[in-house]
C-alpha cells in the first residue's frame, strides 16, 4: 500500500497542506484508493511547502510545492514531468536543492518523517530508548555528567552549559523540584521550537523526564504560548498517550521514578520567555522578571528548585543518552558542540528550518544551504538572534558559527532566528524595526528598558523620517550602552544589540540619513524620491493608473512626470513599469 | 550566619550572608550614599528604578545595590563617574515620562514666587492667619499687592483653559490681607545679629528688604527723601485704588519690627547722607531708589507751567497740593497705568473733560484692561492713534496740544507695531492742563560715585544677587530695572535681603537659585483634558462703587470679596502644584544630580483619579516603582493597586483601570507614605504635607495603640506613622484622619453646670466645686461605695492613676472603666487562668512564632500577620467568613459563627492526646466527637484535620490571637479554649503565648494605674454592682456608657453625674457637671499596649482646653484634702507617682508570666518583655 505523508505543521498548513490532505483523504475514503494518508511535521523545506512524501515498498520520494491536483496524480501513481520537477529528494540521497544534504539533523531527526501523533511511530524510531537506559541503571549524577560531557549548551539563547545547570538544580534542596520546558518562543521569524513541538512532541517529554530524573524532580511544566494551537494539541495528545503507556506518571517502567507533566499556556508576552518572568507567569503574577540571584536552580517556581530548559535543548537530550556524549561532542567546535537549528528568513531563496553542525560558516549556511540572496541582489548582512541579536556584515560571513565567535561580533546566537539582508535593506530601519519590537514587548519594569528603549526608538524614528540631527548618534550610542548595562533581564540588556551592531558595522548609513537625508538602500520611504526617466518612458500610462494618489501625470505616448509633493512613496509605479523608466533614489 | 566585610567608598562595611549591598550599607549608616526610588524596606527587592546602582571594582556592569548580594571583599563605589552618569540618565528617563508640575504655574509666574496654591487652600479652609503668613513668606505687602498687582499669576492660571477665566488670585489675596488688618498677629524680629543695613528709598523694594532683614535679626535704617514711607505706592497710586490706611497698616507692620526711619532725607543730596558715609557707617547698603522722575514728553513747549508730568501731578495730589483742574479740560498723554491714574484723579478733582491721547491702539495699551474700562466708565475719553507735536500756548494761558494722527506700521524692537504719523493730519486739541504720563526714569543724582551705571541710566546690579559694582552695596527695584511693577520690586527686595544676609553672615552674597521643577508645559501644550477635574464655578467679581459716586470722591472703587465669595473663588483652584513638592525623592535627586527641567519626550497621558474620598492618584507622576502596590498587596494584603498595560504604557491603577473609589481600599493611606513622588497624595492638605519629624505620640482610637508622629503644618495637625529605616510602620484611616479630628474637632472648652434643669457655662472653679459637692452628698447619703470613678480606655496611665487615687483615697469610692467592662462582657474569661484577661505575648513573639492560631479578624493585625508569614510562620485561622486572615492562613477552618470555642476545645483535647500533655489542662472543655464537627460547627473535617496537623507539628513557639472587641467574632469560652491550646503547645519553648487585642486603647495602662478593679474577678463584681443599681453617683472621664445599652440603662438613674469629656456626648448631655477634657495629643501620657509594650506620647497638638484632665483631677484631690506635694501643682503630683518609664515596675504589677511548661514544673521567672523601640521610652 502506498503511504503518503503530508507535512501539516503550521508552515505547511499556511501554504495549503490542508487542502492537499483533504483531497488525499477524500480519494481514500470516497474512491477507495489503496492509500495510507498520514500527517507529519515540518521537515524544514518551508520554501517549497506543501510537501508530500510517498512511501511505497520501502522507496521514499519527497515532493514539494504540491497542489491538491498534483497530489491526486501522486496518489493515483501517475508519473509525469511536472511531478518529476517537484521531486526534491529520493531515498535519502542528495536533494535537489542541496538544502538537506548539508544538514546534520539531531534535534530535528524525526521531524517530517514520523507521524507526531503516533507513539508507535516514535517508539519505532528509537523513542524512549534513552529513558529506558536512564532508568535501567544510570544514577542521576551519571545522567547529568553525560549531558555535561556532551558539551550541550542551552539552545534558548543564553547558551549556559546544560549539564552544569542540571547539576546545580540537583544539588539544591526542596520539598519538590520542577522541570520547566520553555516553549515560549517569541522571536519574530523564529519557529524552531514550534516545529519541534509539532513534529516530535514525544522527544520533548522524554527529555523532560530524563532531566527530572537527573535533578530529582517529579513535576514538569511546559510553558507554551497559546498562539501555538497546533503544538498545544500535539503536546496534549502526546502527554495523554505517554501517560497511558506508562512513559509518564508514577513509577515509570517499574522504577521508583515518577514524573508528571502539565502544560501552562502563556498569553504571548515576549518577556515571559525570560525564566524569572516565565515563573512569575506560571504563579499567576504579572509576567515580570526579577533580579537573579537567587537563580531558579536554588529558588525557582513557588520558591522551589527549578530547572528551565528550552525545547531544542531538551530534544537533544535523548539522542545524547542513546548515542553517547562523545558522539555529540564530536560535532562542532571547541567552544560549541553538536548542532544548531536555524530558522532562515528574510532575503533568502530557500527559507526554512535547518540544522547544521556548529562551526559551519555563515556563508556556507546562507549560500550552500539557503541558496543565497534573490537573484541580482547583493548579500549585505545577517541578523542573528532575533530582536535581541545583532547584524553581522557580509564581510564577516566566513566566520564559523559558534557561541564565542558570534558573541564577539556583538550579535548573539540566540534561539536561532536568522534574517538575511541584501542591498535593499536599510540597516537603520532594521535597527528601528527590531527595537520597536523589544520596546513594545518590554514589561515596563526597569527605567532603562521601559523609557530608555522608547527614547532610543524615538531617535531612530526621527532618523529614518529624515529629521535626524548630528547629536543623535552619540545620544543613541550612549543610551544604548546604558540600557544594556542597567536593565534587569535579558530583554532590556540585549534590546540595544541591533542598534549597537548596526552602528558598529553600518555607521555610514546612519550618517547618510542624518547628513545627506538619504537612505542608501532606498528603503526609508520618507527619504526616497521617485522620478521618471524621460528617455525610457513610453507614455504607456500604466504607472499613472497604478498610482493610488494620482501623483503621476502625462499625455499618452509622451513621457510622464511624478509630482513629488503628492507622491506617497509607495513604490507601486516601479512595480508596474515595464521599461525600468522609474528611478528611485 | 557568616560575617564579613566589604568596602564602600573606602569605608569598611560589615555584612552577613544574605544581605544585599543596600541593606548592609543602611545598617552601617551609609544609606545616604545610595539613593533609591523603588526599594521598600522590609520587602524583597524589586529592582526597577536603577537609581541605586554602584560600581564594583573590576566589573564592567553596574550593580543595583538593592538586590545585589553583598560579598566578602568586594570594593564598591557609590559615586564613580560611571555611576553618576547612569543615575543621571535614569533620572532623566524617569523625568522624560513625568508630565507633571512640581510647582503650580501661578507660583512660577509670580516674580516673588508666592505659594499661591497653599494660601488659596488656607483661605478656603478659613485659615486666615496661616494664609497671610504664607503670602508674607514672600511678600510683606499683601493688602497693597491685593489692590494694585498686575497679576502675572493669573496670566498663567490654568483655570482659564477650563472656563476662560483665571482664578481671582489677587482678589483672594486682598481678602486675606483685609482679614489680617482686622486681626493682626504679633510678629517679632529675629535674634539680633549686631549687623546694620542702610536702605536708601522706602518704596516697596526697600520696605520688603527691611522686613526680611529685620526678621533675620539685622538692624535696619531707612533713608526716605519724601515725608512718608511708601515710595510710588503712596505718591504714584491714587487713593481710590490704594487707600492710605492700607499703606499705613502694612508699612506699620514692617516698621513695628524696629526700623529706624529718616524721612525727608535724600541720600547723596544736600541734607542727606553721602553713599560713602553710609558705606562706612553700615555693614551693608541697599539702594532702592525707584524710578521717580517723570520722563519729559519731548515736545516743543513742554516747559509750560500748565504741562505737568503724571507722577508730579499724582504725588502732588497726595501731598495736598492744589491744581487748577476744577471745571477745566485736561489732556493726558500716554497709555500706561500712570496715565489712567492721572486721568481718573483729574476727574475726581472736578475736571470737566478728561481726554487721554495715546499714539497706538487699545490693544497695545500697557495699562491694565480693567483700569482702562473703569476710566471709560467714569467718563474719561480715550483717543487712540494720536501723538502730540507741540504745546500751543499764548503766554501763560495754554491753548491745547497740537496733535497728529498716526497709523500702525511695522513692529518695533518691543514687538509692538510702531506708530507712523499721517502727513498733514495736524490739528489742535484744546485743553487747559496737560499731564504727560509717558514714563518714568531713575534719578541717581549724587549716588553714582564709584557705582557702575547702565546705559539706560539705571544702577548696574545683578538681578538675582542684587550685587553692585561696590562691595557691600546692593541695589534692587525700579532703580536697577527702570520703571516696573510693584511685585517685581518686592521680589527684588526679598532676594536682596537674603543676599545681604549671607553677605553679612559669611561674607559672600547669595545668588537666588531656582530648584529643579518639572513642568507640564515641557511635554506639549497643556490641554483641558490634562487638567484635574475642577469644581464648577464662575469667577467672582469684586463689588464696585457706581461710576457717578466714584468720581465724586477718592473712596476705594472696588470692595473686598466677602467670605462666601472667597470660598467660591478658591474652590476654582485646580491645585496644579504637587502635594509632594517638598518631599519628593525624584525631585530632590533631580536637584542633586543637576538635572534641568527641559527633559522631554513622548508620554502617555492619564486622567487623574479623584474618585476616592481620601486619596488622589495621579498616574502621570508615577515612576512605576510599585512601592504602593507592594505595600498594599504584600504588607496589608489588600492588593487594591496593580500595573495595567505593558511596556511604555504600563500604568499604576486598580485592576482593569477602574477608579480607586469602589475598590477594596481601606483608605489607610500607607500607599501614600510609600510613594516616593506625588503620584499618590492625600486630599487633606495637612496629611499630604509630608515632612520629617514630629512629636511622638500614639493612636488611642483602638486597642492597637499604633505609634504615630504628630506634626503641625500650616494646614493643621497631621498624624502619621513614625519614620524608620526598617520596615514601614503602618497606620489605618482611623488613626491618620481620626486623631487630627479629635484634636481639632468641635471640642468642649467651657465647663457646664446644670442649673434649673439646663446646662449652663460656669467657671472651672465653680464647676469643680459643684462636682465635688454633688458627689460628696451622694457619698454621705448612700455610702462611699455608691460612688464610681471611671475612666475610658483613651486615658493615659498618668490620668488613670490620678483618677484612681481621687476615687479610692479621696472618696473611698469604687473605681473602674466602663468601656473596658463592656469589652470584657464575656465574663473575665481568663481572670481565673492568668490573673487577668490580658496578653502574654508580644507582636515580636508573633513575628518569631512558628505557628499562629488566629480567631477573628482585624485589618492591621492582618498586615502584621503577613509579615510573620513572610518570615515562615504558619497560620491556622478560625473564622466564619473568608476574611483577610483566612486568605492568608495555611489552614482556614471555616466555623459556624459562635462555635469557635467548641472547635478550639476539640483541638486542645486532640493535641493533649497526641502530645501526651496532662489532661487537666483541657478538662473544662466539652467533648466533641470528630464526626460532630461538621454538624455542630460547620467545620469541614479535612480542614480540622489539617489544622491539627499544623498545630501538632509546630516546631517552635505558638501564639494564639483573638480580639477582645465585643463586635469581634468570638463565642463564650473562646478565650479559655484558645489559652488551652496554647498551653498544651506552650511547652515548645519561650515565645509562646496569647495576644489579645481590644478596642479600648490603654486597657493594660488602666490596669497598671490601679484604676481597674484588677486581681481576679472584681471586675465582675463592679458589673454586678452596676446592675444592682448600687451605684448612685459617678465621675466619668472620657467615658460614654450610652454607647453600651446595658450599662446605659443600669446607670440611667444616678443621683449625681460628673462627666469629663472632649465632646458633648449623650452621657455628658445628661450630666450634672460637664468638664472639658484634654486629650493625650495635647497633654501627652504613657500607654501600655496589649502586648505589654510601653509607649510614651509627648504633647504634639495645640492645647484646646485650659485645664488638662490631669490638672483637674489633681486639683480635685487637693480640694478633698488629699496630701499634695508642698506648694506644687499637678506636675509635682505626677512626679510623686511611680515612674511609668520603669518597665519592670509595670510588668511586676501586671505579674506578666504564664506557666511556661505544662509538665508539673512552672517557670518561676516573670516574663520580661523588653521594649526594643527605645526611642519611645521617656
Amino acid at each position: 500500500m502506498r503511504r503518503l505523508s503530508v507535512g501539516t505543521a503550521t508552515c505547511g498548513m499556511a501554504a495549503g497542506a490542508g487542502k492537499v490532505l483533504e483531497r488525499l483523504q477524500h480519494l481514500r475514503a470516497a474512491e477507495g484508493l489503496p492509500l495510507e494518508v498520514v500527517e507529519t511535521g515540518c521537515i524544514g523545506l518551508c520554501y517549497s511547502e506543501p510537501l508530500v512524501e510517498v512511501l511505497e515498498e520501502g522507496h521514499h520520494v519527497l515532493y514539494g510545492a504540491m497542489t491538491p491536483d498534483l497530489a491526486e496524480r501522486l496518489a493515483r501513481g501517475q508519473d509525469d514531468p511536472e511531478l518529476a520537477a517537484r521531486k526534491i529528494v529520493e531515498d535519502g540521497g542528495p536533494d535537489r536543492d542541496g538544502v538537506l544534504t548539508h544538514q546534520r539533523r539531531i534535534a530535528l531527526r524525526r521531524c517530517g518523517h514520523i507521524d507526531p501523533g503516533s507513539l508507535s511511530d516514535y517508539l519505532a524510531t528509537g523513542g524512549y530508548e534513552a529513558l529506558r537506559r536512564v532508568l535501567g541503571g544510570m544514577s542521576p549524577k551519571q545522567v547529568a555528567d553525560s549531558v555535561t560531557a556532551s558539551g550541550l549548551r542551552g539552545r534558548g539563547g543564553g547558551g549556559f552549559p546544560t549539564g552544569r545547570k542540571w547539576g546545580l538544580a540537583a544539588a539544591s534542596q526542596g520539598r519538590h523540584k520542577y522541570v520547566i520546558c520553555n516553549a515560549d518562543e517569541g522571536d519574530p521569524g523564529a519557529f524552531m521550537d514550534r516545529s519541534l513541538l509539532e513534529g516530535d512532541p514525544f522527544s520533548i517529554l522524554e527529555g523532560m523526564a530524563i532531566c527530572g530524573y537527573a535533578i530529582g524532580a517529579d513535576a514538569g511544566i511546559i510553558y507554551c504560548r497559546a498562539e501555538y494551537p497546533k503544538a498545544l494539541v500535539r503536546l496534549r495528545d502526546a502527554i495523554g498517550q505517554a501517560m497511558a503507556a506508562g512513559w509518564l506518571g508514577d513509577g515509570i517502567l517499574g522504577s521508583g521514578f515518577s514524573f508528571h507533566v502539565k502544560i501552562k499556556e502563556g498569553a504571548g508576552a515576549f518577556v515571559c520567555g525570560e525564566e524569572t518572568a516565565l515563573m512569575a507567569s506560571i504563579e499567576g503574577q504579572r509576567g515580570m522578571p526579577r533580579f537573579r540571584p537567587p537563580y531558579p536552580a536554588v529558588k525557582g517556581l513557588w520558591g522551589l528548585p527549578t530547572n528551565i530548559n528550552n525545547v531544542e535543548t531538551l530534544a537533544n537530550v535523548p539522542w545524547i543518552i542513546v548515542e553517547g556524549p562523545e558522539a555529540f561532542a564530536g560535532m562542532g567546535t571547541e567552544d560549541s558542540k553538536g548542532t544548531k537549528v536555524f530558522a532562515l528568513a528574510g532575503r533568502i531563496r530557500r527559507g526554512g528550518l535547518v540544522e547544521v553542525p556548529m562551526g559551519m560558516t555563515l556563508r556556507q549556511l546562507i549560500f550552500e544551504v539557503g541558496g543565497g540572496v534573490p537573484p541580482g541582489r547583493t548579500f549585505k548582512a545577517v541578523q542573528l538572534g532575533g530582536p535581541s541579536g545583532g547584524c553581522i556584515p557580509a564581510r564577516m560571513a566566513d566566520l564559523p558559527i559558534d557561541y564565542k565567535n558570534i558573541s564577539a561580533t556583538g550579535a548573539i546566537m540566540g534561539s536561532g532566528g536568522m534574517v538575511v539582508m541584501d542591498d535593499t535593506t536599510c540597516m537603520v530601519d532594521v535597527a528601528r524595526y527590531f527595537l520597536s519590537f523589544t520596546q513594545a514587548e518590554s514589561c515596563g519594569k526597569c527605567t532603562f528598558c521601559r523609557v530608555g528603549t522608547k527614547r532610543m526608538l524615538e531617535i531612530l524614528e526621527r532618523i529614518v523620517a529624515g529629521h535626524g540631527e548630528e547629536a543623535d548618534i552619540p545620544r543613541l550610542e550612549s543610551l544604548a550602552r546604558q540600557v544594556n548595562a542597567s536593565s534587569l533581564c535579558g530583554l532590556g540588556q540585549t534590546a540595544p544589540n541591533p542598534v549597537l551592531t548596526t552602528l558598529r558595522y553600518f555607521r555610514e548609513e546612519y550618517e547618510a540619513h542624518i547628513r545627506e537625508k538619504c537612505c542608501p538602500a532606498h528603503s526609508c520611504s520618507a527619504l526616497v524620491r521617485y522620478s521618471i526617466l524621460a528617455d525610457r518612458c513610453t507614455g504607456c500610462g500604466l504607472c499613472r493608473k497604478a498610482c493610488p494618489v494620482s501623483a503621476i501625470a502625462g499625455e499618452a505616448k509622451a513621457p510622464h512626470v511624478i509630482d513629488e509633493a503628492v507622491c506617497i512613496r509607495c513604490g507601486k509605479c516601479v512595480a508596474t513599469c515595464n521599461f525600468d523608466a522609474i528611478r528611485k533614489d | 550566619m557568616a560575617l564579613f566585610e566589604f568596602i564602600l567608598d573606602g569605608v569598611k562595611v560589615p555584612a552577613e550572608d544574605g544581605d544585599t549591598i543596600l541593606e548592609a550599607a543602611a545598617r552601617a549608616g551609609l544609606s545616604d550614599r545610595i539613593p533609591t526610588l523603588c526599594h521598600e524596606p522590609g520587602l524583597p527587592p524589586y529592582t526597577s528604578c536603577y537609581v541605586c546602582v554602584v560600581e564594583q571594582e573590576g566589573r564592567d556592569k553596574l550593580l543595583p545595590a538593592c538586590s545585589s548580594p553583598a560579598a566578602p571583599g568586594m570594593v564598591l563605589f557609590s559615586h564613580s563617574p560611571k555611576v553618576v552618569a547612569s543615575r543621571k540618565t535614569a533620572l532623566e528617563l524617569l523625568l522624560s515620562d513625568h508630565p507633571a508640575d512640581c510647582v503650580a504655574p501661578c507660583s512660577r509666574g509670580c516674580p516673588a514666587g508666592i505659594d499661591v496654591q497653599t494660601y488659596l487652600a488656607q483661605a478656603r479652609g478659613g485659615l486666615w492667619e496661616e494664609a497671610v503668613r504664607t503670602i508674607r513668606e514672600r511678600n510683606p505687602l499683601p493688602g497693597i499687592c491685593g489692590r494694585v498687582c498686575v497679576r502675572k499669576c493669573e496670566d498663567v492660571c490654568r483655570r482659564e483653559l477650563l472656563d476662560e477665566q483665571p482664578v481671582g488670585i489677587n482678589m483672594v489675596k486682598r481678602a486675606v490681607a483685609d482679614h489680617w488688618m482686622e486681626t493682626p498677629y504679633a510678629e517679632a524680629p529675629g535674634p539680633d545679629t549686631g549687623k546694620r543695613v542702610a536702605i536708601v528709598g522706602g518704596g516697596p523694594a526697600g520696605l520688603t528688604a527691611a522686613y526680611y532683614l529685620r526678621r533675620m535679626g539685622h538692624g535696619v535704617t531707612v533713608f526716605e527723601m519724601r515725608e512718608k514711607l511708601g515710595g510710588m505706592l503712596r505718591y504714584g497710586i491714587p487713593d481710590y485704588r490704594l487707600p492710605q490706611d492700607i499703606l499705613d497698616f502694612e508699612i506699620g507692620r514692617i516698621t513695628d519690627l524696629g526700623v529706624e526711619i529718616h524721612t525727608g532725607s535724600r541720600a547723596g543730596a544736600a541734607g542727606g547722607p553721602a553713599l560713602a558715609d553710609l558705606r562706612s557707617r553700615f555693614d551693608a547698603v541697599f539702594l532702592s531708589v525707584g524710578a521717580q522722575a517723570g520722563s519729559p514728553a519731548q515736545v516743543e513747549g513742554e516747559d509750560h507751567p500748565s504741562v505737568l508730568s503724571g507722577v508730579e501731578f499724582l504725588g502732588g495730589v497726595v501731598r495736598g497740593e492744589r491744581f487748577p483742574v476744577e471745571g477745566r479740560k485736561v489732556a493726558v498723554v500716554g497709555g500706561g497705568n500712570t496715565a489712567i491714574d492721572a486721568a481718573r484723579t483729574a476727574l475726581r478733582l472736578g475736571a470737566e473733560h478728561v481726554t487721554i491721547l495715546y499714539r497706538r491702539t487699545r490693544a497695545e495699551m500697557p495699562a491694565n484692561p480693567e483700569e482702562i474700562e473703569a476710566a471709560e466708565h467714569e467718563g474719561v475719553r480715550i483717543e487712540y492713534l494720536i501723538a502730540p507735536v507741540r504745546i500751543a500756548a499764548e503766554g501763560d494761558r495754554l491753548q491745547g496740544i497740537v496733535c497728529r494722527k498716526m497709523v500702525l506700521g511695522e513692529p518695533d524692537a518691543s514687538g509692538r507695531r510702531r506708530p507712523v504719523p499721517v502727513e498733514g493730519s495736524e490739528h489742535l486739541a484744546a485743553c487747559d492742563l496737560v499731564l504727560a504720563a509717558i514714563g518714568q526714569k531713575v534719578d541717581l543724582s549724587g549716588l553714582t560715585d564709584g557705582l557702575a551705571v547702565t546705559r539706560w541710566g539705571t544702577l548696574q546690579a545683578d538681578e538675582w544677587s542684587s550685587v553692585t559694582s561696590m562691595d557691600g552695596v546692593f541695589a534692587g527695584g525700579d532703580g536697577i530695572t527702570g520703571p516696573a511693577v510693584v511685585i517685581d520690586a518686592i521680589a527684588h527686595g526679598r532676594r536682596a535681603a537674603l543676599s545681604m544676609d549671607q553677605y553679612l553672615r559669611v561674607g559672600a552674597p547669595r545668588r537666588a537659585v531656582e530648584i529643579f521643577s518639572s513642568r507640564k508645559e515641557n511635554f506639549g501644550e497643556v490641554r483641558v483634558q490634562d487638567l484635574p477635574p475642577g469644581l464648577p464655578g464662575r469667577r467672582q467679581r469684586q463689588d464696585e462703587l457706581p461710576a457717578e459716586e466714584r468720581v465724586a470722591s477718592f473712596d476705594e472703587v472696588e470692595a473686598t470679596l466677602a467670605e462666601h465669595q472667597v470660598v467660591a473663588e478658591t474652590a476654582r483652584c485646580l491645585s496644579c502644584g504637587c502635594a509632594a513638592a517638598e518631599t519628593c525623592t525624584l525631585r530632590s535627586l533631580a536637584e542633586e544630580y543637576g538635572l534641568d527641567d527641559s527633559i522631554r519626550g513622548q508620554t502617555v497621558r492619564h486622567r487623574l483619579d479623584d474618585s476616592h474620598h481620601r486619596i488622589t492618584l495621579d498616574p502621570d507622576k508615577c515612576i512605576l516603582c510599585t512601592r504602593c502596590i507592594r505595600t498594599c498587596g504584600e504588607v496589608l494584603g489588600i492588593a487594591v493597586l496593580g500595573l495595567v498595560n505593558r511596556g511604555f504604557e504600563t500604568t499604576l491603577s486598580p485592576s482593569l483601570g477602574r477608579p480607586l473609589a469602589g475598590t477594596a481600599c481601606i483608605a489607610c493611606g500607607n500607599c501614600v507614605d510609600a510613594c516616593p513622588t506625588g503620584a499618590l497624595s492625600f486630599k487633606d492638605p495637612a496629611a499630604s504635607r509630608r515632612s520629617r519629624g514630629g512629636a511622638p505620640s500614639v493612636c488611642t482610637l483602638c486597642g492597637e495603640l499604633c505609634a504615630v508622629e504628630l506634626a503641625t503644618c500650616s494646614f493643621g495637625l497631621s498624624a502619621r506613622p513614625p519614620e524608620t529605616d526598617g520596615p514601614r510602620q503602618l497606620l489605618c484611616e482611623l488613626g491618620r484622619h481620626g486623631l487630627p479630628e479629635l484634636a481639632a474637632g468641635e471640642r468642649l472648652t467651657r465647663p457646664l453646670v446644670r442649673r434649673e434643669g439646663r446646662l449652663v457655662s460656669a467657671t472651672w472653679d465653680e464647676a469643680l466645686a459643684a462636682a465635688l459637692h454633688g458627689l460628696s452628698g451622694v457619698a454621705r447619703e448612700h455610702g462611699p461605695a455608691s460612688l464610681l470613678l471611671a475612666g475610658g480606655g483613651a486615658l493615659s496611665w498618668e490620668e488613670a492613676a490620678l483618677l484612681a487615687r481621687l476615687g479610692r483615697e479621696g472618696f473611698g469610692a469604687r473605681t473602674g472603666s466602663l468601656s473596658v467592662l463592656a469589652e470584657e462582657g464575656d465574663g473575665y474569661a481568663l481572670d481565673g487562668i492568668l490573673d487577668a484577661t490580658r496578653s502574654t505575648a508580644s507582636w515580636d513573639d508573633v513575628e518569631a512564632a512558628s505557628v499562629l492560631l488566629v480567631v477573628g479578624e482585624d485589618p492591621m493585625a492582618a498586615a502584621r500577620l503577613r509579615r510573620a508569614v513572610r518570615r515562615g510562620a504558619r497560620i491556622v485561622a478560625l473564622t466564619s467568613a473568608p476574611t483577610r486572615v483566612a486568605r492568608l492562613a495555611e489552614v482556614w477552618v471555616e466555623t459556624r459563627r459562635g462555635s469557635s470555642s467548641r472547635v478550639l476545645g476539640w483541638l486542645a483535647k486532640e493535641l493533649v492526646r497526641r502530645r501526651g500533655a496532662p489532661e487537666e489542662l483541657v478538662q473544662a472543655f466539652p467533648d466533641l466527637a470528630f464526626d460532630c464537627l461538621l454538624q455542630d460547627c460547620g467545620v469541614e473535617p479535612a480542614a480540622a484535620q489539617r489544622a491539627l496537623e499544623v498545630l501538632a507539628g509546630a516546631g517552635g513557639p505558638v501564639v494564639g490571637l483573638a480580639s477582645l472587641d465585643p463586635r469581634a467574632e468570638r463565642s463564650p469560652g473562646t478565650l479559655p479554649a484558645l489559652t488551652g491550646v496554647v498551653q498544651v503547645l506552650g511547652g515548645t519553648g519561650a515565645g509562646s503565648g496569647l495576644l489579645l487585642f481590644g478596642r479600648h486603647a490603654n486597657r493594660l495602662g488602666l490596669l497598671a494605674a490601679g484604676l481597674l478593679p484588677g486581681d481576679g474577678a472584681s471586675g465582675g463584681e463592679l458589673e454586678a454592682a452596676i446592675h444592682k443599681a448600687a451605684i448612685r453617683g459617678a465621675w466619668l472621664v472620657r467615658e460614654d456608657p450610652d454607647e453600651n445599652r446595658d450599662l446605659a440603662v443600669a446607670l440611667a438613674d444616678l443621683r449625681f453625674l460628673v462627666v469629663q469629656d472632649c465632646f458633648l456626648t449623650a452621657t455628658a448631655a445628661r450630666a450634672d457637671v460637664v468638664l472639658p477634657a484634654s486629650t493625650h495629643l495635647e497633654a501627652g501620657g504613657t500607654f501600655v499596649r496589649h502586648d505589654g509594650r510601653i509607649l510614651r506620647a509627648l504633647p504634639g497638638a495645640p492645647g484646646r482646653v485650659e485645664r488638662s484632665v490631669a490638672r483637674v483631677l489633681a486639683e480635685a484631690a487637693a480640694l478633698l484634702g488629699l496630701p499634695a506635694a508642698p506648694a506644687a501643682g499637678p506636675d509635682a503630683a505626677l512626679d510623686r507617682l511611680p515612674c511609668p518609664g520603669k518597665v519592670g515596675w509595670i510588668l511586676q504589677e501586671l505579674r506578666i508570666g504564664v506557666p511556661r511548661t505544662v509538665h508539673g514544673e512552672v517557670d518561676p521567672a516573670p516574663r520580661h518583655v523588653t521594649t526594643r523601640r527605645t526611642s519611645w521610652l521617656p
Side-chain angles (χ1 to χ4, degrees), chain A residues 19-96:
Chain A
K19 290 219 168 75
V20 172
L21 181 69
E22 207 175 285
R23 175 74 67 86
L24 292 176
Q25 280 168 341
H26 174 81
L27 289 172
R28 189 177 61 88
E31 294 196 19
L33 283 185
L35 286 178
E36 193 189 343
V37 180
V38 297
E39 296 181 43
T40 188
C42 167
I43 198 170
L45 307 170
C46 304
Y47 67 97
S48 59
E49 292 276 5
L51 294 160
V52 176
E53 190 188 43
V54 182
L55 169 64
E56 199 170 18
E57 292 160 7
H59 184 59
H60 296 261
V61 188
L62 178 66
Y63 295 89
M66 285 289 105
T67 62
D69 289 344
L70 286 169
E72 182 171 344
R73 275 143 71 182
L74 273 183
R76 293 185 191 282
Q78 296 170 1
D79 198 2
D80 54 47
E82 195 176 351
L83 280 176
R86 296 182 189 226
K87 201 180 281 182
I88 295 175
V89 61
E90 210 164 330
D91 288 332
D95 62 310
R96 183 190 69 195

Side-chain angles (χ1 to χ4, degrees), chain B residues 841 846 851-855 958-962 978 982 992-996:
Chain B
V846 168
V851 174
L852 301 166
L853 177 58
V854 190
V855 184
V958 177
V959 178
L961 296 99
L978 182 63
V982 173
S992 290
L994 280 181
L995 188 62
L996 307 178

Side-chain angles (χ1 to χ4, degrees), chain A residues 286-287 442 445 447 455 482 488, chain B residues 46 48 89 96 645-647:
Chain A
R286 184 180 162 91
S442 163
K445 184 174 182 178
T447 304
R455 300 292 169 247
Q482 297 194 63
L488 198 154
Chain B
Y46 181 69
S48 75
T89 310
S96 76
N645 302 331
R646 296 189 72 82

Side-chain angles (χ1 to χ4, degrees), chain A residues 308-533:
Chain A
I308 304 180
N309 283 132
N310 150 274
V311 172
E312 187 188 334
T313 314
L314 290 167
N316 278 308
V317 168
W319 191 93
I320 290 168
I321 298 293
V322 173
E323 306 292 332
E326 309 76 23
F328 193 82
M331 293 177 285
T333 68
E334 184 59 37
D335 171 70
S336 311
K337 305 295 184 192
T339 59
K340 176 78 194 89
V341 182
F342 290 101
L344 290 182
R347 307 286 293 168
I348 190 156
R349 290 171 70 183
R350 299 189 201 113
L353 207 59
V354 299
E355 183 172 356
V356 297
M358 293 282 190
M360 183 183 261
T361 67
L362 284 166
R363 189 178 304 282
Q364 282 173 312
L365 181 54
I366 293 162
F367 285 89
E368 289 172 25
V369 181
V373 294
R377 307 264 52 125
T378 320
F379 170 51
K380 183 177 186 179
V382 59
Q383 156 84 14
L384 199 56
S388 311
C391 291
I392 302 172
R395 63 172 189 273
M396 295 171 82
D398 292 315
L399 198 71
I401 300 170
D402 73 6
Y403 285 99
K404 207 166 124 192
N405 286 338
I406 298 294
S407 302
T409 65
I412 59 167
M413 181 78 83
S415 63
M418 188 177 271
V419 184
V420 180
M421 293 150 189
D422 65 15
D423 53 352
T424 63
T425 316
C426 169
M427 301 313 286
V428 184
D429 195 48
V430 163
R432 184 203 58 79
Y433 168 75
F434 281 112
L435 192 67
S436 73
F437 177 84
T438 34
Q439 204 282 312
E441 290 293 345
S442 163
C443 77
K445 184 174 182 178
C446 308
T447 304
F448 281 93
C449 178
R450 180 183 72 246
V451 195
T453 57
K454 173 77 178 170
R455 300 292 169 247
M456 285 171 65
L457 183 62
E458 283 167 7
I459 296 175
L460 288 169
E461 281 168 346
R462 220 160 50 214
I463 295 175
V464 298
H467 305 308
E469 42 189 84
E470 201 61 42
D472 277 343
I473 294 180
R475 205 177 282 151
L476 194 59
E477 216 157 15
S478 140
L479 255 179
R481 291 196 196 290
Q482 297 194 63
V483 171
N484 166 268
S486 296
S487 291
L488 198 154
C489 81
L491 191 155
Q493 289 165 9
T494 58
N497 282 355
V499 177
L500 286 170
T501 51
T502 48
L503 271 170
R504 180 161 154 194
Y505 300 120
F506 301 96
R507 200 181 190 91
E508 67 286 354
E509 287 199 30
Y510 282 84
E511 288 163 356
H513 281 75
I514 291 170
R515 294 181 191 155
E516 285 120 53
K517 305 287 175 216
C518 90
C519 173
H522 303 313
S523 157
C524 295
S525 60
L527 298 178
V528 296
R529 297 279 174 278
Y530 290 92
S531 54
I532 295 175
L533 304 170

